[in-house]
Amino acid sequence: MSALPNRHPIGDEFLLDYASGTAPEPIALAVAAHVALNPESREALSCLEAAGGALLNGLAPAAIDDASLDHVLARLDTQEPTLRPSRARVADSPLPPALRAYVPNGIDALPWRRRAGGLAEAELPCGDGRRYKVSLLRIGAGKPIPRHGHSGEELLLVLQGGFADEHGHYVRGDVCFADAAVEHRPLADSDGDCLCLAVTEGPIRLKGLLGFLLRPFLRR
Amino acid sequence: MLRLVTVADAPLDRRMPPDFTGRPTPERAAEEHVRALQAIALHGDRQAFARLFRFFAPRVRAYLMRLGSDDAAAEDLMQDVMLTVWRRAPTYDPALAGVSTWVFTIARNRRIDALRRVRQPPLDVDEPALVPAAPPLPDSAVAALQWEAKIATAIATLPPEQAQMLKLAYFDDRSHSDIAETLKLPLGTVKSRLRLAIGRLRSVFQPEESP
């Protein structure tokens, strides 16, 4: 029953922010998508949500008006407005459920834009769009994302295929975290395209001549 | 071994030591909450709902006010949360979470929906695409209830500075750097205290021995 070797889980601090409800939407999306694919992280999140439950129990109860319960009782039989998206069409999608609401018509219908040689990017509307950019990246088999540094945090969640950088090898469900201290050059595995969810804080800084040439295209 | 069905069915005195004070122990209260949710799910039991309401409504309201809701907003949102508890009772799975945890996640999500107007991307646990965890232990329904108690104990025995950090993280809706600024602590200290606290909580979940 031992865990798979070399898994790359998301950092505990992101799980805490999700559990406590303080994560901005792009981070919450990355966490929800990741834990769907990683049972250990899901269990860690359950643990932190249980902490929320325990802290809720421990709060000094606030005063409640007697009429409060009656108001709610009177509303019990009203119908809940439901906005559940249909799942049938995307049953075989590589996207975890949390992501599907952001990709309602499937991956191929997204506005993909070619970047460097084997890289394509489709931006997803998520959050207020000011602090984070959220996108799907498709890296061609055996192709790199150009070497880049970061002005803020970057989370790459592998949804399909895999890639390797200087720090490890990442497969479906793994999270590659980078911040301002990290420079890396992810290289997709040669056996197929790699699909990733990218959540990027602030502009990324591309290195080298290729990066210089690409910069106008990667700007937000 | 206690299974989910027996949580509701077995006579109380077989599972719990007698409580001579007449006051429910936290463990017994937790089991009562499970039974109440099951009664709501099975036959729309309004009295069971009223019991849950009396316990959780004041705490949910306190939670919302801690996070900065004013009186009227906290009342509206609390009613909304309790209504959601009623409607979603059939989806509650005692093998996955204690009732307090479940109510907490509803309150958290409704608050985000209402106040921030952003979505909390949900983790849909019924989703077949989830990569399955190891098969649950036979008594996991009981285990989920015990987690809550164990987590509560773990929080109560955290070093004060870690417990403080954890409460700020859950109840103050501030980023780690805001917390650091308020407490006049380096950001690294805030993060490392939180990391230590999380480690302690996670260790509660670790199996006693690894195969």
Side-chain angles (χ1 to χ4, degrees):
Chain A
M1 224 182 79
S2 65
L4 292 171
N6 303 320
R7 296 293 289 265
H8 298 278
I10 200 165
D12 280 346
E13 61 272 29
F14 295 106
L15 295 176
L16 177 66
D17 285 349
Y18 184 96
S20 64
T22 46
E25 189 179 347
I27 296 295
L29 174 62
V31 170
H34 166 69
V35 298
L37 304 175
N38 183 310
E40 290 81 19
S41 290
R42 197 152 74 238
E43 185 175 280
L45 180 62
S46 298
C47 168
L48 294 174
E49 290 182 332
L55 289 169
L56 178 71
N57 270 355
L59 278 177
I64 294 283
D65 197 303
D66 287 341
S68 230
L69 175 58
D70 294 336
H71 280 302
V72 179
L73 284 172
R75 287 167 67 200
L76 290 187
D77 295 324
T78 55
Q79 283 295 308
E80 179 175 29
T82 47
L83 294 167
R84 292 241 135 187
S86 152
R87 295 188 189 127
R89 186 167 28 160
V90 283
D92 58 348
S93 163
L95 301 181
L99 251 170
R100 290 183 202 153
Y102 297 83
V103 191
N105 300 309
I107 295 173
D108 293 335
L110 288 171
W112 286 98
R113 287 194 281 184
R114 296 293 300 270
R115 300 302 191 196
L119 180 65
E121 178 176 22
E123 216 170 306
L124 306 179
C126 177
D128 62 14
R130 276 181 296 192
R131 182 171 165 198
Y132 292 97
K133 183 173 84 164
V134 178
S135 49
L136 290 183
L137 298 180
R138 189 184 266 145
I139 319 167
K143 297 282 179 26
I145 298 179
R147 170 171 291 281
H148 60 279
H150 311 86
S151 52
E153 296 173 347
E154 175 193 78
L155 286 169
L156 282 176
L157 167 67
V158 181
L159 302 170
Q160 199 171 45
F163 71 79
D165 70 3
E166 295 86 334
H167 311 286
H169 181 235
Y170 304 83
V171 295
R172 178 167 161 84
D174 284 345
V175 169
C176 174
F177 173 75
D179 61 16
V182 175
E183 222 179 79
H184 64 161
R185 179 176 178 270
L187 183 68
D189 292 351
S190 54
D191 59 355
D193 288 359
C194 176
L195 183 71
C196 293
L197 172 71
V199 176
T200 315
E201 181 189 36
I204 64 171
R205 302 190 310 265
L206 290 174
K207 300 287 167 176
L209 179 60
L210 183 59
F212 176 76
L213 295 172
L214 280 170
R215 202 168 294 159
F217 302 100
L218 280 165
R219 200 170 281 158
R220 287 196 286 166
Chain B
M1 223 13 39
L2 288 173
R3 298 295 306 272
L4 159 58
V5 275
T6 59
V7 170
D9 298 341
L12 266 178
D13 52 0
R14 264 184 44 215
R15 289 168 292 121
M16 287 288 156
D19 179 3
F20 295 112
T21 64
R23 284 224 313 265
T25 62
E27 290 77 13
R28 185 175 285 183
E31 289 196 9
E32 288 292 345
H33 295 155
V34 173
R35 271 194 288 273
L37 271 183
Q38 289 173 338
I40 293 169
L42 286 174
H43 37 265
D45 187 331
R46 286 169 179 252
Q47 286 180 350
F49 177 74
R51 287 198 297 278
L52 283 181
F53 187 95
R54 287 191 195 98
F55 184 84
F56 283 110
R59 287 170 172 81
V60 168
R61 202 176 202 284
Y63 167 70
L64 295 167
M65 295 188 70
R66 268 296 290 264
L67 281 160
S69 291
D70 65 27
D71 227 39
E75 178 66 24
D76 280 357
L77 210 48
M78 177 277 286
Q79 292 193 15
D80 205 39
V81 169
M82 295 312 297
L83 199 57
T84 306
V85 166
W86 167 267
R87 286 168 172 161
R88 305 260 167 93
T91 69
Y92 170 72
D93 181 350
L96 293 175
V99 177
S100 303
T101 302
W102 188 70
V103 173
F104 166 74
T105 58
I106 290 174
R108 174 196 70 191
N109 293 355
R110 299 303 281 193
R111 176 179 164 273
I112 292 172
D113 287 347
L115 299 185
R116 292 203 196 144
R117 300 268 163 230
V118 301
R119 288 176 287 181
Q120 172 91 330
L123 172 60
D124 192 339
V125 291
D126 300 327
E127 171 61 46
L130 288 197
V131 172
L137 300 171
D139 56 349
S140 63
V142 174
L145 288 181
Q146 288 169 351
W147 285 343
E148 251 181 19
K150 285 185 180 174
I151 289 278
T153 309
I155 292 174
T157 54
L158 281 177
E161 71 278 5
Q162 290 177 29
Q164 176 201 29
M165 221 50 88
L166 201 64
K167 284 175 187 164
L168 286 174
Y170 279 85
F171 293 145
D172 279 43
D173 194 21
R174 283 186 294 178
S175 69
H176 304 169
S177 47
D178 286 346
I179 293 175
E181 208 167 292
T182 311
L183 298 178
K184 301 198 177 358
L185 287 170
L187 180 58
T189 306
V190 169
K191 288 192 168 177
S192 71
R193 284 181 186 174
L194 278 172
R195 216 169 285 137
L196 288 169
I198 295 169
R200 286 279 285 273
L201 298 182
R202 287 189 65 171
S203 70
V204 171
F205 272 56
Q206 301 303 316
E208 306 280 315
E209 48 181 349
S210 312

